[in-house]
Amino acid sequence: IFWIHLGVRVAGAGLFLLYGVAAKREWQSVLEFYAETLAIVYPSVSAIICMQSVMQELKAGNFQNLLCVSTLRWSAVLRKILTLWILGLAASLLAFLLFGMGVWGTKAAWNLSVKEYLICGLILWITQAGIYLLHFFLAMRFGSGACLAAGVTQSLIAALLFTGLGDGLWMWFPCGWSGHLLLYYVKWKTESEVFKMAGEMLKEQIRADPLVYLDTASRQEKHFTMTGKRSQNGMDIGGR
């Protein structure tokens, strides 16, 4: 189970890093594509992992280790689910950290910090944590087929929610939360960096020649004032 978590994340990060280098696309768009893919694949991977976990208990003694405990029968089940959660958290954090390390290795102009990549991993894990409970229950109650079918269905729904069909509807589907929230977070951090750079450039311009800046600002103010008066006059004439 651990190697499934680790292998999928390492392979995914490596493939998208190779894609970004080969296609020579902006790393921001590659990260957004990577986040979308992780959000789509996550339910199916979770279903496979829960299915394998339940199959191990079935082969070990027909669930005797989980359900035949003399005291606190459900504590063994909770420990199993907590183990899956911890592995999922580690895999989610590792997925974004590996991608960030690859982008840092290319010495790209755009990149996020370690903290921001960790937040991306937390967003992915928190929004998908409930899926482990559902898949584990389905695997134990109805078998591996129902668990795998649920995971694939959730992946398909998550993919559809990234199209125009998901506009205004994705918040009603838990399997679509992670992808959209990750995209919003990446765009928010990117736009905040752009505004920060613009603010620094503006400060440098003011320090270099404040008179030129004040003259430009006064001209823009006069332009906006005249435009506002013209629009107001047009409204008065139209009203009359």
Side-chain angles (χ1 to χ4, degrees), residues 196-239:
K196 184 177 179 181
M197 291 174 60
E200 293 296 331
M201 293 175 61
L202 183 59
K203 289 180 181 178
E204 292 296 330
Q205 181 181 358
I206 295 173
R207 291 172 184 172
D209 197 345
L211 295 178
V212 173
Y213 169 75
L214 292 174
D215 182 62
T216 304
S218 63
R219 290 180 181 179
Q220 290 179 350
E221 184 180 1
K222 290 180 181 179
H223 172 72
F224 290 137
T225 303
M226 294 299 296
T227 305
K229 289 182 178 180
R230 289 174 183 173
S231 61
Q232 185 64 34
N233 293 334
M235 293 175 62
D236 292 341
I237 294 173

Side-chain angles (χ1 to χ4, degrees), residues 157 159-170 173:
I157 293 174
L160 288 174
L161 292 175
F162 281 113
T163 64
L165 297 174
D167 295 343
L169 296 176
W170 66 267
F173 295 88

Side-chain angles (χ1 to χ4, degrees), residues 18 20 22 24 37 44 95 121 125 158 160 172 187 202 222 224-225:
L18 289 175
K24 296 181 179 180
T37 305
S44 296
W125 176 73
L160 288 174
W172 303 107
K187 290 180 179 178
L202 183 59
K222 290 180 181 179
F224 290 137
T225 303

Side-chain angles (χ1 to χ4, degrees), residues 57-76:
E57 295 296 331
L58 179 62
K59 293 179 181 179
N62 200 19
F63 302 113
Q64 291 184 6
N65 295 329
L66 290 179
L67 303 180
C68 296
V69 182
S70 58
T71 58
L72 297 177
R73 175 178 299 178
W74 289 103
S75 63

Side-chain angles (χ1 to χ4, degrees), residues 35-56:
E36 290 179 8
T37 305
L38 284 177
I40 292 171
V41 175
Y42 204 108
S44 296
V45 176
S46 171
I48 294 173
I49 290 170
C50 291
M51 183 179 65
Q52 291 293 328
S53 178
V54 172
M55 290 298 293
Q56 286 180 359

